[in-house]
Amino acid sequence: MSKQTADEQNSLNILDDLIAIAQRKGAEAADAVRIQGTSVNVSVRQGETEEIERSEAHDLGLRVFIGKQQAFVSSNDTKPEVLEELVDRALAMARNMPEDEFCGLADPAFLAKKMLDLDLYDDTSLSPDELVAIANEAEEAALGVEGVTNSEGGGASTGSASIALATSGGFRGAYSSSSFSVSASVIAGEGQGMERDYDYDSRHFYADVRSPSEIGKIAGERAVKLLNPRKMPSGQFPVVYSNRVSGSILGHFSGAISGASVARGTSFLKDQMGEQIFNEQINIIDDPHRSRGPASKPFDGEGVSNNRLDLIKGGTLQCWILNSASAKQLGLETNGRATRGTASPPGSGTTNLYMEAGSNSLEEMLADIKSGLYITSLIGFGVNGITGDYSRGASGFWIEDGKIAFPVSELTIAGNLKDMFLNLTPADDLEFRQGTNAPSLRVEGMMVAGT
């Protein structure tokens, strides 16, 4: 169980006061959120410090209900007189808003009862000088790779955030997290033949971050490998998404099963509940309770319990991503996927979303490809959420006779997400580095347009 810090308890006390004022002045129900954060970011280039930036955020949001009318206000000031004014403004706005039959607080039966400790906070303190040294180490390692000719810089950052939520329906909860990141971006080649690439890592715990020298070395090696790319003719080929970019496929999937999109009828998967949309080996999971997970949280943006969801099991679609409002629209129950800011109604979204790894290595996945494309970078966002039509710019490497052969660029890949999902095979190289992760993915029969 997670124990509240003094700062978290102070935030909850402020929220309790705000809700009490709102109810005293006529709100039938209310909830409030406070988000606080600090960060220090440094960047270096060619061994010189370019920027040291420190930022702080203290944002407070209030939502009030009068019948089926609701309004949202926010502030970064917690003085008592400001809270009074905030409530007055919110109530005045609510009385002039149109009714929304689906608005309201989450059902008390679904509220989280336990505050799980997900191990998200590391109290390691790094000074700006230490961050500069880390960034320099990453850049030096990148510049040390043969073929690297210039640098776009190294970076390092540290930060912390806390989120507190309280509702008039009886929920009170808060949690804190920390973050540490290191990056490097460099250029290889000369003149018109220059190519750039990067590497980075970001974790809750400093000890979990890969070493700056490793990050820099990988950035440099990636840039060099891209030198002298070729243009390719158009055709239909197998396409393999590296695990650097494969999470984007899951991003399109999660957008299509958002309860709000389904309720509006604007999703190409709106009629696919219970249908097989991936092959039967595919399982896709959203797990908010992964220890030290990049997007872990002990409760959702409405205070609802947020357990693991099997979104795809054996290739079959199991559920939508729902908050209370979208669940009501669809005649369902929320599954704890509300997201929350300080100045808008709750949305819905995933947490630690991932596709389970397959059984074959990347090398085995490539072995029978006579000609195909291995993607390491995607450009643009040409996806139609209503039809599933997909078209994006891509670069990476050409596959010949089962091996990665040479770099390619200025290609466009196209297909339809329904077909892509059904013709998708995962490798065994799943890594948990971001909020959305997938192993390398092979997709059969995509259109690849070159010169």
Side-chain angles (χ1 to χ4, degrees):
M1 294 292 293
S2 176
K3 293 184 178 180
Q4 289 169 356
T5 66
D7 285 344
E8 291 169 354
Q9 186 59 57
N10 179 58
S11 289
L12 288 171
N13 291 339
I14 292 171
L15 300 184
D16 288 342
D17 291 343
L18 186 59
I19 291 171
I21 295 169
Q23 289 184 298
R24 173 169 53 82
K25 292 195 170 193
E28 294 177 20
D31 63 7
V33 61
R34 190 180 192 208
I35 301 173
Q36 299 183 90
T38 62
S39 65
V40 180
N41 300 272
V42 306
S43 61
V44 303
R45 186 172 180 273
Q46 299 290 4
E48 298 293 327
T49 302
E50 287 203 321
E51 183 179 55
I52 298 177
E53 180 183 69
R54 178 180 175 85
S55 62
E56 294 189 13
H58 301 274
D59 297 321
L60 180 73
L62 171 68
R63 177 170 60 152
V64 297
F65 300 90
I66 301 175
K68 286 298 182 180
Q69 296 167 293
Q70 64 176 338
F72 314 87
V73 290
S74 61
S75 175
N76 56 13
D77 194 336
T78 60
K79 296 187 186 74
E81 61 271 22
V82 173
L83 298 185
E84 294 275 351
E85 293 172 3
L86 198 66
V87 169
D88 290 339
R89 182 153 48 96
L91 291 172
M93 291 171 61
R95 293 186 182 103
N96 288 284
M97 295 296 290
E99 290 193 350
D100 178 356
E101 62 178 308
F102 303 114
C103 76
L105 298 178
D107 187 326
F110 299 134
L111 297 179
K113 303 299 191 296
K114 298 179 180 179
M115 294 297 108
L116 299 176
D117 184 356
L118 302 176
D119 205 16
L120 305 179
Y121 187 80
D122 176 7
D123 62 4
T124 297
S125 177
L126 297 175
S127 68
D129 287 345
E130 288 173 312
L131 292 172
V132 167
I134 291 167
N136 276 321
E137 181 182 345
E139 184 188 47
E140 288 170 6
L143 290 170
V145 175
E146 184 176 355
V148 171
T149 55
N150 207 339
S151 171
E152 291 191 331
S157 69
T158 181
S160 63
S162 69
I163 296 174
L165 175 69
T167 79
S168 62
F171 179 81
R172 297 175 85 255
Y175 64 95
S176 299
S177 65
S178 56
S179 63
F180 302 86
S181 66
V182 180
S183 64
S185 177
V186 291
I187 296 168
E190 302 282 354
Q192 297 299 310
M194 293 189 296
E195 299 290 339
R196 68 168 293 277
D197 214 325
Y198 67 93
D199 191 24
Y200 78 97
D201 197 14
S202 180
R203 307 282 177 164
H204 285 301
F205 277 66
Y206 180 62
D208 295 339
V209 180
R210 289 182 291 130
S211 73
S213 57
E214 177 189 351
I215 290 167
K217 182 171 182 289
I218 290 174
E221 291 172 345
R222 285 175 172 173
V224 171
K225 287 178 181 178
L226 295 175
L227 288 173
N228 305 310
R230 304 184 194 179
K231 307 293 191 295
M232 300 303 296
S234 300
Q236 194 168 18
F237 302 98
V239 167
V240 177
Y241 291 77
S242 73
N243 61 5
R244 289 179 69 188
V245 297
S246 57
S248 66
I249 299 295
L250 284 193
H252 302 317
F253 163 70
S254 66
I257 64 169
S258 162
S261 296
V262 174
R264 289 194 303 265
T266 57
S267 167
F268 66 93
L269 295 179
K270 67 181 185 297
D271 299 318
Q272 300 296 300
M273 181 55 63
E275 300 292 326
Q276 184 171 337
I277 60 173
F278 290 86
N279 74 59
E280 61 185 13
Q281 283 77 44
I282 301 296
N283 297 306
I284 299 177
I285 295 152
D286 188 58
D287 184 2
H289 296 165
R290 286 186 62 86
S291 178
R292 301 193 184 186
S296 293
K297 55 184 70 173
F299 52 85
D300 83 346
E302 296 176 304
V304 170
S305 177
N306 56 351
N307 298 314
R308 165 181 160 142
L309 291 180
D310 292 315
L311 301 174
I312 294 290
K313 190 172 184 179
T316 300
L317 180 59
Q318 304 292 313
C319 59
W320 309 123
I321 298 168
L322 300 170
N323 62 12
S324 293
S326 59
K328 289 175 185 175
Q329 286 179 275
L330 294 168
L332 300 170
E333 295 178 349
T334 178
N335 50 25
R337 290 308 183 273
T339 58
R340 186 68 185 272
T342 57
S344 60
S348 61
T350 57
T351 58
N352 298 303
L353 176 67
Y354 66 98
M355 179 183 292
E356 287 187 343
S359 57
N360 291 331
S361 67
L362 176 61
E363 291 73 20
E364 291 170 328
M365 178 180 287
L366 300 178
D368 68 340
I369 297 178
K370 181 69 175 175
S371 294
L373 174 63
Y374 178 69
I375 300 173
T376 59
S377 179
L378 290 165
I379 305 165
F381 193 80
V383 178
N384 187 318
I386 298 175
T387 65
D389 289 336
Y390 176 97
S391 178
R392 297 191 68 180
S395 61
F397 299 87
W398 199 249
I399 304 165
E400 279 191 349
D401 298 323
K403 302 289 185 182
I404 292 176
F406 51 84
V408 292
S409 64
E410 297 181 19
L411 299 174
T412 299
I413 54 173
N416 184 276
L417 287 168
K418 281 188 176 181
D419 297 328
M420 292 167 63
F421 292 166
L422 284 170
N423 291 284
L424 176 154
T425 305
D428 66 355
D429 57 353
L430 174 66
E431 297 178 349
F432 290 95
R433 292 188 178 178
Q434 305 173 77
T436 299
N437 298 281
S440 296
L441 301 175
R442 173 172 168 172
V443 183
E444 307 297 336
M446 292 192 68
M447 289 301 303
V448 178
T451 55

